[in-house]
Amino acid sequence: MSDRSGESGLVQFSERLTNSAAFGTLFREGMDLVEETAAYLDGVGRTEAKALDRSVSLTYATESMRLTTRLMQLASWLLLHRAVKEGEMTLTQANREKTKVKLSAADPGAADMIARLPQQLQHLIARSMTLQTKVRRLDTTIHAPAAERASIGNPLVPQLNRLKAAFER
């Protein structure tokens, strides 16, 4: 096996996350949301948009564009990390490539404006924000600098030391 982490002999937990069931579930959730959103915006959403007041119609256009942008960025991140899972690239390569992906792209507008949109679009926006939160969290875990991961160590050690000290008295 090649040294994908750049640190000889160490198995990096962060590299294994892309092979986890949680990543697989997140990947499917993301791709399904992209497909569902595209179908909505090309179908029912188009009809709903035509029936909106002029001011809400502008919000619809803006928010559907933000939603699409957000989902495309999330899909890019997911596909990049699936490539790591499939062995098509290393985590180091993915880390370089992911700088092109903006995980904070296109946050939604004001809540009072979102509330005026059709329910299905509101639901898609909310689900995309939940997905974005999950991806950001995973991104932080996977791409934490090696020194930062090492300094964390085993989080149970301080608690075990406290227990040990309590029972030694």
Side-chain angles (χ1 to χ4, degrees), residues 4 19 81-90 93:
R4 293 165 46 133
N19 287 317
H81 289 82
R82 185 181 70 172
V84 172
K85 175 184 179 182
E86 301 295 325
E88 297 169 2
M89 66 176 21
T90 66
Q93 290 169 322

Side-chain angles (χ1 to χ4, degrees), residues 113-127:
M113 294 303 289
I114 301 291
R116 298 174 67 193
L117 296 171
Q119 285 294 317
Q120 192 169 355
L121 182 59
Q122 289 181 45
H123 184 65
L124 291 168
I125 291 169
R127 286 175 54 204

Side-chain angles (χ1 to χ4, degrees), residues 44-128:
V44 175
R46 224 175 259 227
T47 305
E48 289 178 340
K50 290 177 183 176
L52 296 172
D53 291 338
R54 187 174 169 99
S55 63
V56 180
S57 182
L58 179 60
T59 300
Y60 180 97
T62 302
E63 292 306 322
S64 62
M65 187 170 47
R66 286 177 175 163
L67 173 61
T68 302
T69 300
R70 182 180 319 110
L71 288 174
M72 289 302 100
Q73 293 297 313
L74 292 170
S76 295
W77 188 95
L78 290 166
L79 289 167
L80 189 63
H81 289 82
R82 185 181 70 172
V84 172
K85 175 184 179 182
E86 301 295 325
E88 297 169 2
M89 66 176 21
T90 66
L91 188 60
T92 302
Q93 290 169 322
N95 197 26
R96 279 192 300 263
E97 289 297 316
K98 85 172 192 78
T99 60
K100 299 172 189 168
V101 177
K102 306 297 179 219
L103 291 179
S104 60
D107 286 340
D112 62 324
M113 294 303 289
I114 301 291
R116 298 174 67 193
L117 296 171
Q119 285 294 317
Q120 192 169 355
L121 182 59
Q122 289 181 45
H123 184 65
L124 291 168
I125 291 169
R127 286 175 54 204
S128 74

Side-chain angles (χ1 to χ4, degrees), residues 7 29 36 40 44 49 52 59 63 72 85 94 100 115 119-120 123 126 135-136 142 144 154 156 163-164:
E7 297 175 25
E29 179 185 343
E36 185 179 338
Y40 168 77
V44 175
L52 296 172
T59 300
E63 292 306 322
M72 289 302 100
K85 175 184 179 182
K100 299 172 189 168
Q119 285 294 317
Q120 192 169 355
H123 184 65
V135 168
R136 282 179 176 172
I142 290 175
N154 185 340
L156 295 177
L163 282 171
K164 192 175 184 180

